[in-house]
Short mmCIF file of all heavy atoms in Angstrom, two decimals:
data_model
loop_
_atom_site.label_atom_id
_atom_site.label_comp_id
_atom_site.label_asym_id
_atom_site.label_seq_id
_atom_site.Cartn_x
_atom_site.Cartn_y
_atom_site.Cartn_z
N MET J 9 7.65 -17.54 -12.49
CA MET J 9 6.87 -16.31 -12.68
C MET J 9 7.18 -15.34 -11.53
O MET J 9 7.31 -15.75 -10.40
CB MET J 9 5.39 -16.64 -12.69
CG MET J 9 4.54 -15.50 -13.23
SD MET J 9 2.82 -16.03 -13.46
CE MET J 9 2.06 -15.32 -12.01
N THR J 10 7.29 -14.08 -11.86
CA THR J 10 7.56 -13.07 -10.85
C THR J 10 6.34 -12.86 -9.97
O THR J 10 5.23 -12.70 -10.47
CB THR J 10 7.94 -11.73 -11.51
OG1 THR J 10 8.98 -11.96 -12.43
CG2 THR J 10 8.40 -10.73 -10.46
N GLN J 11 6.55 -12.89 -8.67
CA GLN J 11 5.45 -12.67 -7.74
C GLN J 11 5.06 -11.20 -7.75
O GLN J 11 5.91 -10.32 -7.78
CB GLN J 11 5.88 -13.09 -6.35
CG GLN J 11 4.72 -13.24 -5.39
CD GLN J 11 5.20 -13.63 -4.00
OE1 GLN J 11 6.38 -13.65 -3.71
NE2 GLN J 11 4.25 -13.95 -3.15
N ARG J 12 3.76 -10.96 -7.74
CA ARG J 12 3.28 -9.58 -7.74
C ARG J 12 2.30 -9.37 -6.60
O ARG J 12 1.67 -10.32 -6.12
CB ARG J 12 2.61 -9.22 -9.07
CG ARG J 12 3.58 -9.23 -10.24
CD ARG J 12 2.97 -8.66 -11.49
NE ARG J 12 2.74 -7.22 -11.43
CZ ARG J 12 3.71 -6.31 -11.60
NH1 ARG J 12 4.93 -6.68 -11.84
NH2 ARG J 12 3.42 -5.02 -11.54
N TRP J 13 2.18 -8.11 -6.19
CA TRP J 13 1.25 -7.73 -5.14
C TRP J 13 0.25 -6.70 -5.65
O TRP J 13 0.59 -5.87 -6.49
CB TRP J 13 2.02 -7.07 -3.99
CG TRP J 13 2.79 -8.00 -3.11
CD1 TRP J 13 2.68 -9.36 -3.06
CD2 TRP J 13 3.79 -7.64 -2.16
NE1 TRP J 13 3.55 -9.85 -2.12
CE2 TRP J 13 4.24 -8.82 -1.55
CE3 TRP J 13 4.34 -6.43 -1.76
CZ2 TRP J 13 5.22 -8.83 -0.57
CZ3 TRP J 13 5.31 -6.43 -0.78
CH2 TRP J 13 5.75 -7.62 -0.19
N ASP J 14 -0.96 -6.77 -5.13
CA ASP J 14 -1.94 -5.71 -5.33
C ASP J 14 -1.89 -4.84 -4.08
O ASP J 14 -2.11 -5.33 -2.97
CB ASP J 14 -3.35 -6.29 -5.51
CG ASP J 14 -3.47 -7.11 -6.78
OD1 ASP J 14 -2.66 -6.89 -7.70
OD2 ASP J 14 -4.36 -7.96 -6.86
N VAL J 15 -1.58 -3.56 -4.28
CA VAL J 15 -1.42 -2.62 -3.16
C VAL J 15 -2.55 -1.59 -3.22
O VAL J 15 -2.82 -1.02 -4.28
CB VAL J 15 -0.06 -1.90 -3.24
CG1 VAL J 15 0.11 -0.96 -2.06
CG2 VAL J 15 1.07 -2.92 -3.29
N ALA J 16 -3.22 -1.38 -2.09
CA ALA J 16 -4.33 -0.42 -2.07
C ALA J 16 -4.36 0.33 -0.75
O ALA J 16 -3.97 -0.19 0.29
CB ALA J 16 -5.65 -1.15 -2.28
N VAL J 17 -4.82 1.58 -0.82
CA VAL J 17 -5.05 2.38 0.38
C VAL J 17 -6.57 2.51 0.56
O VAL J 17 -7.28 2.88 -0.37
CB VAL J 17 -4.42 3.78 0.25
CG1 VAL J 17 -4.80 4.66 1.45
CG2 VAL J 17 -2.90 3.68 0.14
N ASP J 18 -7.04 2.20 1.74
CA ASP J 18 -8.47 2.35 2.04
C ASP J 18 -8.74 3.82 2.37
O ASP J 18 -8.29 4.32 3.42
CB ASP J 18 -8.85 1.47 3.23
CG ASP J 18 -10.35 1.47 3.51
OD1 ASP J 18 -11.02 2.46 3.11
OD2 ASP J 18 -10.84 0.51 4.11
N PRO J 19 -9.46 4.53 1.50
CA PRO J 19 -9.68 5.96 1.73
C PRO J 19 -10.51 6.25 2.97
O PRO J 19 -10.49 7.36 3.51
CB PRO J 19 -10.40 6.42 0.45
CG PRO J 19 -11.01 5.19 -0.11
CD PRO J 19 -10.13 4.04 0.30
N ARG J 20 -11.25 5.26 3.46
CA ARG J 20 -12.05 5.47 4.69
C ARG J 20 -11.17 5.45 5.93
O ARG J 20 -11.56 5.94 6.98
CB ARG J 20 -13.13 4.38 4.81
CG ARG J 20 -14.16 4.43 3.70
CD ARG J 20 -14.95 3.15 3.64
NE ARG J 20 -14.04 2.01 3.45
CZ ARG J 20 -14.40 0.74 3.42
NH1 ARG J 20 -15.66 0.42 3.61
NH2 ARG J 20 -13.52 -0.21 3.22
N MET J 21 -9.98 4.87 5.81
CA MET J 21 -9.10 4.74 6.96
C MET J 21 -7.95 5.76 6.95
O MET J 21 -7.47 6.16 8.00
CB MET J 21 -8.51 3.33 7.03
CG MET J 21 -9.55 2.26 7.27
SD MET J 21 -8.86 0.60 7.16
CE MET J 21 -7.80 0.59 8.60
N CYS J 22 -7.50 6.15 5.77
CA CYS J 22 -6.34 7.05 5.66
C CYS J 22 -6.61 8.37 6.36
O CYS J 22 -7.64 9.00 6.17
CB CYS J 22 -6.03 7.29 4.18
SG CYS J 22 -4.73 8.51 3.90
N VAL J 23 -5.66 8.78 7.21
CA VAL J 23 -5.80 10.04 7.94
C VAL J 23 -4.82 11.10 7.43
O VAL J 23 -4.52 12.07 8.11
CB VAL J 23 -5.63 9.82 9.47
CG1 VAL J 23 -6.79 9.02 10.03
CG2 VAL J 23 -4.29 9.15 9.79
N ARG J 24 -4.32 10.88 6.22
CA ARG J 24 -3.56 11.90 5.47
C ARG J 24 -2.27 12.35 6.16
O ARG J 24 -1.94 13.54 6.14
CB ARG J 24 -4.43 13.12 5.19
CG ARG J 24 -5.73 12.78 4.51
CD ARG J 24 -6.58 14.01 4.29
NE ARG J 24 -7.92 13.64 3.88
CZ ARG J 24 -8.86 14.49 3.55
NH1 ARG J 24 -8.60 15.79 3.56
NH2 ARG J 24 -10.06 14.07 3.20
N THR J 25 -1.57 11.43 6.77
CA THR J 25 -0.30 11.82 7.36
C THR J 25 0.74 12.15 6.30
O THR J 25 1.68 12.90 6.56
CB THR J 25 0.28 10.69 8.22
OG1 THR J 25 0.56 9.57 7.37
CG2 THR J 25 -0.68 10.28 9.32
N GLY J 26 0.61 11.55 5.12
CA GLY J 26 1.60 11.75 4.07
C GLY J 26 2.85 10.92 4.25
O GLY J 26 3.79 11.03 3.47
N LEU J 27 2.86 10.09 5.28
CA LEU J 27 4.05 9.29 5.59
C LEU J 27 4.44 8.37 4.43
O LEU J 27 5.62 8.29 4.07
CB LEU J 27 3.78 8.47 6.85
CG LEU J 27 4.92 7.65 7.40
CD1 LEU J 27 5.99 8.57 7.98
CD2 LEU J 27 4.43 6.70 8.48
N CYS J 28 3.47 7.69 3.87
CA CYS J 28 3.78 6.75 2.79
C CYS J 28 4.34 7.49 1.57
O CYS J 28 5.29 7.02 0.95
CB CYS J 28 2.54 5.94 2.40
SG CYS J 28 1.10 6.92 1.94
N VAL J 29 3.77 8.65 1.26
CA VAL J 29 4.21 9.42 0.09
C VAL J 29 5.62 9.95 0.31
O VAL J 29 6.48 9.88 -0.57
CB VAL J 29 3.24 10.58 -0.18
CG1 VAL J 29 3.65 11.36 -1.42
CG2 VAL J 29 1.81 10.06 -0.31
N ALA J 30 5.88 10.47 1.52
CA ALA J 30 7.20 11.01 1.82
C ALA J 30 8.26 9.92 1.86
O ALA J 30 9.41 10.13 1.45
CB ALA J 30 7.16 11.75 3.15
N SER J 31 7.88 8.73 2.34
CA SER J 31 8.85 7.65 2.50
C SER J 31 9.16 6.93 1.20
O SER J 31 10.29 6.52 0.97
CB SER J 31 8.33 6.63 3.51
OG SER J 31 8.07 7.23 4.74
N LEU J 32 8.14 6.78 0.36
CA LEU J 32 8.34 6.01 -0.87
C LEU J 32 7.51 6.61 -2.01
O LEU J 32 6.51 6.04 -2.46
CB LEU J 32 7.93 4.54 -0.62
CG LEU J 32 8.42 3.51 -1.62
CD1 LEU J 32 9.94 3.52 -1.76
CD2 LEU J 32 7.93 2.12 -1.24
N PRO J 33 7.96 7.78 -2.51
CA PRO J 33 7.19 8.47 -3.55
C PRO J 33 7.13 7.71 -4.87
O PRO J 33 6.27 8.00 -5.71
CB PRO J 33 7.92 9.81 -3.71
CG PRO J 33 9.26 9.62 -3.12
CD PRO J 33 9.12 8.56 -2.07
N SER J 34 8.00 6.73 -5.05
CA SER J 34 7.93 5.94 -6.28
C SER J 34 6.73 5.00 -6.27
O SER J 34 6.27 4.55 -7.31
CB SER J 34 9.21 5.13 -6.47
OG SER J 34 9.39 4.24 -5.38
N ALA J 35 6.19 4.72 -5.10
CA ALA J 35 5.07 3.78 -5.00
C ALA J 35 3.77 4.42 -4.54
O ALA J 35 2.69 3.89 -4.79
CB ALA J 35 5.44 2.63 -4.04
N PHE J 36 3.87 5.58 -3.83
CA PHE J 36 2.66 6.21 -3.29
C PHE J 36 2.61 7.68 -3.69
O PHE J 36 3.64 8.33 -3.85
CB PHE J 36 2.64 6.10 -1.75
CG PHE J 36 2.53 4.69 -1.26
CD1 PHE J 36 3.66 3.98 -0.93
CD2 PHE J 36 1.29 4.07 -1.15
CE1 PHE J 36 3.58 2.66 -0.48
CE2 PHE J 36 1.19 2.75 -0.71
CZ PHE J 36 2.34 2.05 -0.38
N GLU J 37 1.40 8.18 -3.82
CA GLU J 37 1.18 9.59 -4.13
C GLU J 37 -0.05 10.06 -3.38
O GLU J 37 -0.82 9.25 -2.86
CB GLU J 37 0.98 9.78 -5.63
CG GLU J 37 -0.25 9.05 -6.17
CD GLU J 37 -0.38 9.13 -7.67
OE1 GLU J 37 0.43 9.79 -8.32
OE2 GLU J 37 -1.33 8.50 -8.19
N ARG J 38 -0.23 11.39 -3.34
CA ARG J 38 -1.44 11.94 -2.72
C ARG J 38 -2.51 12.10 -3.79
O ARG J 38 -2.20 12.50 -4.92
CB ARG J 38 -1.15 13.30 -2.10
CG ARG J 38 -0.42 13.25 -0.78
CD ARG J 38 -0.34 14.66 -0.22
NE ARG J 38 0.49 14.75 0.97
CZ ARG J 38 0.02 14.66 2.21
NH1 ARG J 38 -1.27 14.45 2.42
NH2 ARG J 38 0.83 14.78 3.24
N ASP J 39 -3.77 11.85 -3.43
CA ASP J 39 -4.85 12.12 -4.38
C ASP J 39 -5.32 13.56 -4.21
O ASP J 39 -4.72 14.34 -3.46
CB ASP J 39 -5.99 11.10 -4.23
CG ASP J 39 -6.77 11.26 -2.92
OD1 ASP J 39 -6.54 12.25 -2.19
OD2 ASP J 39 -7.60 10.38 -2.64
N GLU J 40 -6.39 13.92 -4.87
CA GLU J 40 -6.86 15.30 -4.86
C GLU J 40 -7.27 15.75 -3.46
O GLU J 40 -7.26 16.95 -3.14
CB GLU J 40 -8.06 15.46 -5.81
CG GLU J 40 -7.77 15.12 -7.26
CD GLU J 40 -7.66 13.63 -7.54
OE1 GLU J 40 -8.17 12.82 -6.74
OE2 GLU J 40 -7.01 13.26 -8.54
N GLN J 41 -7.65 14.82 -2.60
CA GLN J 41 -8.05 15.16 -1.23
C GLN J 41 -6.89 15.08 -0.24
O GLN J 41 -7.07 15.29 0.96
CB GLN J 41 -9.16 14.21 -0.74
CG GLN J 41 -10.55 14.55 -1.28
CD GLN J 41 -10.73 14.10 -2.71
OE1 GLN J 41 -10.34 12.99 -3.06
NE2 GLN J 41 -11.29 14.94 -3.55
N GLY J 42 -5.70 14.78 -0.75
CA GLY J 42 -4.55 14.70 0.11
C GLY J 42 -4.33 13.34 0.75
O GLY J 42 -3.44 13.16 1.59
N GLN J 43 -5.15 12.38 0.35
CA GLN J 43 -4.97 11.04 0.91
C GLN J 43 -3.91 10.28 0.12
O GLN J 43 -3.70 10.53 -1.07
CB GLN J 43 -6.29 10.27 0.84
CG GLN J 43 -7.35 10.84 1.77
CD GLN J 43 -8.58 9.98 1.79
OE1 GLN J 43 -9.12 9.63 0.76
NE2 GLN J 43 -9.03 9.63 2.98
N GLY J 44 -3.26 9.36 0.81
CA GLY J 44 -2.29 8.52 0.13
C GLY J 44 -2.98 7.52 -0.77
O GLY J 44 -4.11 7.09 -0.51
N ARG J 45 -2.32 7.18 -1.87
CA ARG J 45 -2.82 6.10 -2.72
C ARG J 45 -1.64 5.46 -3.44
O ARG J 45 -0.59 6.10 -3.63
CB ARG J 45 -3.87 6.59 -3.71
CG ARG J 45 -3.32 7.45 -4.84
CD ARG J 45 -4.42 7.88 -5.79
NE ARG J 45 -3.94 8.88 -6.72
CZ ARG J 45 -4.73 9.68 -7.43
NH1 ARG J 45 -6.03 9.60 -7.31
NH2 ARG J 45 -4.21 10.56 -8.26
N ALA J 46 -1.82 4.21 -3.83
CA ALA J 46 -0.76 3.52 -4.55
C ALA J 46 -0.69 4.07 -5.97
O ALA J 46 -1.72 4.33 -6.60
CB ALA J 46 -1.06 2.02 -4.58
N ARG J 47 0.52 4.26 -6.46
CA ARG J 47 0.66 4.77 -7.83
C ARG J 47 0.15 3.75 -8.84
O ARG J 47 -0.42 4.11 -9.87
CB ARG J 47 2.13 5.09 -8.12
CG ARG J 47 2.59 6.37 -7.46
CD ARG J 47 3.94 6.80 -7.99
NE ARG J 47 4.37 8.02 -7.36
CZ ARG J 47 4.05 9.24 -7.82
NH1 ARG J 47 3.32 9.37 -8.90
NH2 ARG J 47 4.46 10.31 -7.18
N THR J 48 0.39 2.48 -8.58
CA THR J 48 -0.14 1.44 -9.45
C THR J 48 -0.75 0.35 -8.58
O THR J 48 -0.26 0.08 -7.48
CB THR J 48 0.97 0.80 -10.33
OG1 THR J 48 1.98 0.27 -9.46
CG2 THR J 48 1.59 1.82 -11.26
N GLU J 49 -1.84 -0.23 -9.04
CA GLU J 49 -2.53 -1.25 -8.24
C GLU J 49 -1.67 -2.49 -8.06
O GLU J 49 -1.68 -3.13 -7.02
CB GLU J 49 -3.83 -1.66 -8.93
CG GLU J 49 -5.01 -0.81 -8.52
CD GLU J 49 -6.28 -1.28 -9.17
OE1 GLU J 49 -6.44 -2.49 -9.36
OE2 GLU J 49 -7.09 -0.40 -9.50
N SER J 50 -0.94 -2.84 -9.10
CA SER J 50 -0.16 -4.07 -9.06
C SER J 50 1.32 -3.72 -9.14
O SER J 50 1.73 -2.89 -9.95
CB SER J 50 -0.55 -4.96 -10.24
OG SER J 50 0.26 -6.10 -10.25
N SER J 51 2.11 -4.32 -8.27
CA SER J 51 3.54 -4.04 -8.29
C SER J 51 4.32 -5.30 -7.98
O SER J 51 3.78 -6.25 -7.41
CB SER J 51 3.89 -2.95 -7.27
OG SER J 51 3.69 -3.44 -5.96
N ALA J 52 5.60 -5.28 -8.36
CA ALA J 52 6.47 -6.38 -7.97
C ALA J 52 6.59 -6.35 -6.45
O ALA J 52 6.45 -5.31 -5.82
CB ALA J 52 7.83 -6.21 -8.63
N THR J 53 6.82 -7.51 -5.87
CA THR J 53 6.96 -7.56 -4.41
C THR J 53 8.13 -6.67 -3.98
O THR J 53 9.12 -6.55 -4.68
CB THR J 53 7.22 -9.00 -3.94
OG1 THR J 53 8.41 -9.46 -4.52
CG2 THR J 53 6.06 -9.90 -4.29
N SER J 54 7.96 -6.02 -2.83
CA SER J 54 8.97 -5.06 -2.39
C SER J 54 8.98 -4.97 -0.88
O SER J 54 7.95 -4.71 -0.25
CB SER J 54 8.63 -3.69 -3.00
OG SER J 54 9.26 -2.65 -2.29
N GLU J 55 10.15 -5.20 -0.31
CA GLU J 55 10.29 -5.05 1.15
C GLU J 55 9.96 -3.63 1.58
O GLU J 55 9.39 -3.41 2.64
CB GLU J 55 11.71 -5.40 1.58
CG GLU J 55 11.95 -6.87 1.84
CD GLU J 55 11.01 -7.47 2.89
OE1 GLU J 55 10.86 -6.87 3.97
OE2 GLU J 55 10.41 -8.50 2.60
N GLU J 56 10.31 -2.66 0.73
CA GLU J 56 10.04 -1.26 1.07
C GLU J 56 8.54 -1.01 1.18
O GLU J 56 8.08 -0.35 2.11
CB GLU J 56 10.64 -0.33 0.00
CG GLU J 56 12.13 -0.18 0.08
CD GLU J 56 12.66 0.69 -1.05
OE1 GLU J 56 12.38 0.37 -2.22
OE2 GLU J 56 13.32 1.68 -0.75
N VAL J 57 7.78 -1.53 0.23
CA VAL J 57 6.32 -1.33 0.27
C VAL J 57 5.74 -2.01 1.51
O VAL J 57 4.87 -1.44 2.19
CB VAL J 57 5.66 -1.88 -1.02
CG1 VAL J 57 4.14 -1.91 -0.88
CG2 VAL J 57 6.06 -1.04 -2.22
N LEU J 58 6.24 -3.18 1.83
CA LEU J 58 5.75 -3.87 3.03
C LEU J 58 6.07 -3.06 4.29
O LEU J 58 5.22 -2.91 5.18
CB LEU J 58 6.38 -5.26 3.13
CG LEU J 58 5.99 -6.09 4.35
CD1 LEU J 58 4.47 -6.28 4.43
CD2 LEU J 58 6.68 -7.45 4.34
N GLU J 59 7.28 -2.49 4.34
CA GLU J 59 7.65 -1.67 5.50
C GLU J 59 6.76 -0.45 5.63
O GLU J 59 6.37 -0.06 6.73
CB GLU J 59 9.12 -1.24 5.40
CG GLU J 59 10.09 -2.35 5.75
CD GLU J 59 11.54 -1.95 5.55
OE1 GLU J 59 11.83 -0.74 5.45
OE2 GLU J 59 12.39 -2.85 5.46
N ILE J 60 6.42 0.16 4.51
CA ILE J 60 5.54 1.34 4.55
C ILE J 60 4.15 0.93 5.04
O ILE J 60 3.54 1.61 5.88
CB ILE J 60 5.44 2.00 3.16
CG1 ILE J 60 6.80 2.47 2.68
CG2 ILE J 60 4.43 3.16 3.20
CD1 ILE J 60 7.49 3.45 3.55
N ALA J 61 3.65 -0.19 4.54
CA ALA J 61 2.33 -0.66 4.99
C ALA J 61 2.34 -0.90 6.49
O ALA J 61 1.39 -0.55 7.20
CB ALA J 61 1.94 -1.93 4.23
N GLU J 62 3.42 -1.49 6.97
CA GLU J 62 3.52 -1.77 8.41
C GLU J 62 3.63 -0.49 9.23
O GLU J 62 3.23 -0.46 10.40
CB GLU J 62 4.74 -2.66 8.68
CG GLU J 62 4.57 -4.08 8.17
CD GLU J 62 5.86 -4.90 8.24
OE1 GLU J 62 6.95 -4.31 8.33
OE2 GLU J 62 5.75 -6.13 8.19
N SER J 63 4.17 0.57 8.63
CA SER J 63 4.38 1.80 9.39
C SER J 63 3.21 2.77 9.29
O SER J 63 3.19 3.78 10.01
CB SER J 63 5.67 2.49 8.96
OG SER J 63 5.58 2.91 7.62
N CYS J 64 2.24 2.51 8.43
CA CYS J 64 1.06 3.38 8.37
C CYS J 64 0.36 3.33 9.73
O CYS J 64 0.04 2.24 10.21
CB CYS J 64 0.11 2.92 7.27
SG CYS J 64 -1.47 3.81 7.31
N PRO J 65 0.14 4.48 10.37
CA PRO J 65 -0.38 4.46 11.75
C PRO J 65 -1.79 3.90 11.89
O PRO J 65 -2.18 3.53 13.00
CB PRO J 65 -0.33 5.94 12.16
CG PRO J 65 -0.29 6.71 10.88
CD PRO J 65 0.41 5.84 9.89
N VAL J 66 -2.53 3.84 10.80
CA VAL J 66 -3.91 3.34 10.91
C VAL J 66 -4.13 2.07 10.07
O VAL J 66 -5.27 1.65 9.85
CB VAL J 66 -4.93 4.43 10.49
CG1 VAL J 66 -4.94 5.55 11.52
CG2 VAL J 66 -4.62 4.97 9.10
N GLU J 67 -3.04 1.47 9.59
CA GLU J 67 -3.11 0.25 8.77
C GLU J 67 -4.08 0.41 7.60
O GLU J 67 -4.90 -0.46 7.32
CB GLU J 67 -3.48 -0.97 9.62
CG GLU J 67 -2.37 -1.38 10.57
CD GLU J 67 -2.57 -2.76 11.19
OE1 GLU J 67 -3.60 -3.39 10.94
OE2 GLU J 67 -1.67 -3.18 11.93
N ALA J 68 -3.95 1.55 6.92
CA ALA J 68 -4.84 1.81 5.77
C ALA J 68 -4.34 1.16 4.49
O ALA J 68 -5.07 1.08 3.51
CB ALA J 68 -4.97 3.32 5.56
N ILE J 69 -3.09 0.70 4.52
CA ILE J 69 -2.49 0.13 3.32
C ILE J 69 -2.61 -1.39 3.38
O ILE J 69 -2.19 -2.01 4.35
CB ILE J 69 -1.01 0.53 3.19
CG1 ILE J 69 -0.88 2.06 3.16
CG2 ILE J 69 -0.39 -0.09 1.93
CD1 ILE J 69 0.55 2.56 3.26
N SER J 70 -3.20 -1.97 2.34
CA SER J 70 -3.31 -3.42 2.30
C SER J 70 -2.52 -3.96 1.10
O SER J 70 -2.42 -3.31 0.06
CB SER J 70 -4.77 -3.86 2.20
OG SER J 70 -5.34 -3.39 1.00
N ILE J 71 -1.97 -5.14 1.31
CA ILE J 71 -1.22 -5.82 0.24
C ILE J 71 -1.78 -7.22 0.10
O ILE J 71 -1.93 -7.94 1.09
CB ILE J 71 0.28 -5.91 0.59
CG1 ILE J 71 0.87 -4.52 0.83
CG2 ILE J 71 1.04 -6.62 -0.53
CD1 ILE J 71 2.30 -4.55 1.38
N VAL J 72 -2.11 -7.59 -1.13
CA VAL J 72 -2.63 -8.93 -1.41
C VAL J 72 -1.77 -9.57 -2.48
O VAL J 72 -1.39 -8.91 -3.46
CB VAL J 72 -4.10 -8.84 -1.89
CG1 VAL J 72 -4.62 -10.19 -2.33
CG2 VAL J 72 -4.99 -8.26 -0.80
N ASP J 73 -1.45 -10.82 -2.29
CA ASP J 73 -0.70 -11.54 -3.31
C ASP J 73 -1.59 -11.71 -4.55
O ASP J 73 -2.69 -12.26 -4.46
CB ASP J 73 -0.27 -12.91 -2.77
CG ASP J 73 0.58 -13.67 -3.77
OD1 ASP J 73 -0.02 -14.36 -4.63
OD2 ASP J 73 1.81 -13.56 -3.70
N THR J 74 -1.13 -11.19 -5.68
CA THR J 74 -1.97 -11.14 -6.88
C THR J 74 -2.43 -12.53 -7.31
O THR J 74 -3.60 -12.74 -7.64
CB THR J 74 -1.19 -10.47 -8.03
OG1 THR J 74 -0.78 -9.17 -7.62
CG2 THR J 74 -2.05 -10.35 -9.29
N GLU J 75 -1.54 -13.49 -7.30
CA GLU J 75 -1.87 -14.81 -7.82
C GLU J 75 -2.76 -15.61 -6.87
O GLU J 75 -3.79 -16.16 -7.27
CB GLU J 75 -0.59 -15.60 -8.11
CG GLU J 75 -0.86 -16.85 -8.92
CD GLU J 75 0.42 -17.61 -9.23
OE1 GLU J 75 1.51 -17.15 -8.85
OE2 GLU J 75 0.32 -18.67 -9.85
N SER J 76 -2.39 -15.64 -5.61
CA SER J 76 -3.14 -16.48 -4.66
C SER J 76 -4.33 -15.76 -4.05
O SER J 76 -5.26 -16.40 -3.54
CB SER J 76 -2.20 -16.95 -3.53
OG SER J 76 -1.86 -15.86 -2.70
N GLY J 77 -4.32 -14.42 -4.08
CA GLY J 77 -5.39 -13.66 -3.44
C GLY J 77 -5.27 -13.62 -1.93
O GLY J 77 -6.15 -13.11 -1.24
N LYS J 78 -4.19 -14.14 -1.42
CA LYS J 78 -4.01 -14.17 0.04
C LYS J 78 -3.43 -12.84 0.55
O LYS J 78 -2.56 -12.26 -0.10
CB LYS J 78 -3.07 -15.32 0.43
CG LYS J 78 -3.72 -16.66 0.22
CD LYS J 78 -2.97 -17.74 0.93
CE LYS J 78 -3.78 -19.03 0.87
NZ LYS J 78 -3.01 -20.22 1.06
N PRO J 79 -3.90 -12.39 1.71
CA PRO J 79 -3.35 -11.16 2.25
C PRO J 79 -1.90 -11.30 2.69
O PRO J 79 -1.53 -12.30 3.30
CB PRO J 79 -4.27 -10.87 3.46
CG PRO J 79 -4.95 -12.13 3.77
CD PRO J 79 -4.95 -12.98 2.54
N VAL J 80 -1.10 -10.30 2.32
CA VAL J 80 0.29 -10.22 2.78
C VAL J 80 0.34 -9.30 3.99
O VAL J 80 0.96 -9.60 5.00
CB VAL J 80 1.19 -9.66 1.65
CG1 VAL J 80 2.62 -9.46 2.14
CG2 VAL J 80 1.14 -10.57 0.43
N PHE J 81 -0.40 -8.17 3.89
CA PHE J 81 -0.52 -7.24 5.02
C PHE J 81 -1.84 -6.50 4.92
O PHE J 81 -2.20 -6.05 3.84
CB PHE J 81 0.63 -6.24 5.04
CG PHE J 81 0.61 -5.41 6.29
CD1 PHE J 81 1.23 -5.86 7.45
CD2 PHE J 81 -0.08 -4.21 6.34
CE1 PHE J 81 1.18 -5.12 8.61
CE2 PHE J 81 -0.13 -3.47 7.50
CZ PHE J 81 0.49 -3.92 8.64
N PRO J 82 -2.60 -6.30 6.00
CA PRO J 82 -2.31 -6.96 7.27
C PRO J 82 -2.49 -8.48 7.14
O PRO J 82 -3.30 -8.92 6.33
CB PRO J 82 -3.33 -6.35 8.25
CG PRO J 82 -4.36 -5.68 7.41
CD PRO J 82 -3.78 -5.43 6.06
N PRO J 83 -1.74 -9.23 7.94
CA PRO J 83 -1.84 -10.68 7.85
C PRO J 83 -3.23 -11.16 8.30
O PRO J 83 -3.91 -10.45 9.01
CB PRO J 83 -0.74 -11.19 8.79
CG PRO J 83 -0.40 -10.04 9.66
CD PRO J 83 -0.78 -8.78 8.94
N GLU J 84 -3.60 -12.36 7.88
CA GLU J 84 -4.92 -12.91 8.24
C GLU J 84 -5.05 -13.07 9.73
O GLU J 84 -4.11 -13.38 10.41
CB GLU J 84 -5.13 -14.27 7.58
CG GLU J 84 -5.51 -14.14 6.14
CD GLU J 84 -5.76 -15.49 5.49
OE1 GLU J 84 -4.82 -16.30 5.40
OE2 GLU J 84 -6.89 -15.72 5.05
S1 LIG T 20 0.75 6.50 5.79
FE1 LIG T 20 -1.35 5.71 5.97
S2 LIG T 20 -2.54 7.37 6.91
FE2 LIG T 20 -0.63 8.27 6.15
S3 LIG T 20 -1.14 9.04 4.08
FE3 LIG T 20 -0.31 6.96 3.86
S4 LIG T 20 -2.10 5.61 3.85
FE4 LIG T 20 -2.75 7.59 4.69
#
């Protein structure tokens, strides 16, 4: 079975740098308030998405393994 991730941006933490959207527009977009958000909640695992989550300056992007429910980023 293909491994999948649940990707989410915490709107309370996002400071609207636009970095995630500019770096990977296929996975992230801005909402009506200009905050970053994942285009789809569930996605195939992706090194690019992980790199973007790691580069968010406020760690607003979280990734959870869909099947196990374990956090991928930030790590436990
Ligand atoms: S990189 Fe982080 S702070 Fe910047 S828009 Fe994306 S989620 Fe928000």
Side-chain angles (χ1 to χ4, degrees):
M9 195 171 102
T10 308
Q11 195 181 8
R12 295 190 70 78
W13 285 346
D14 295 337
V15 181
V17 174
D18 186 336
R20 295 164 303 176
M21 295 174 68
C22 174
V23 292
R24 307 178 191 184
T25 64
L27 185 69
C28 55
V29 182
S31 302
L32 197 56
S34 61
F36 295 95
E37 62 185 357
R38 283 186 187 267
D39 69 8
E40 300 75 21
Q41 281 77 44
Q43 292 186 309
R45 72 179 170 198
R47 285 191 180 272
T48 58
E49 271 182 35
S50 176
S51 67
T53 61
S54 160
E55 274 303 310
E56 285 177 305
V57 170
L58 179 57
E59 283 176 17
I60 299 301
E62 290 171 340
S63 64
C64 172
V66 291
E67 291 193 357
I69 302 171
S70 63
I71 303 171
V72 173
D73 183 274
T74 303
E75 192 178 359
S76 70
K78 290 195 171 159
V80 176
F81 187 86
E84 282 182 297

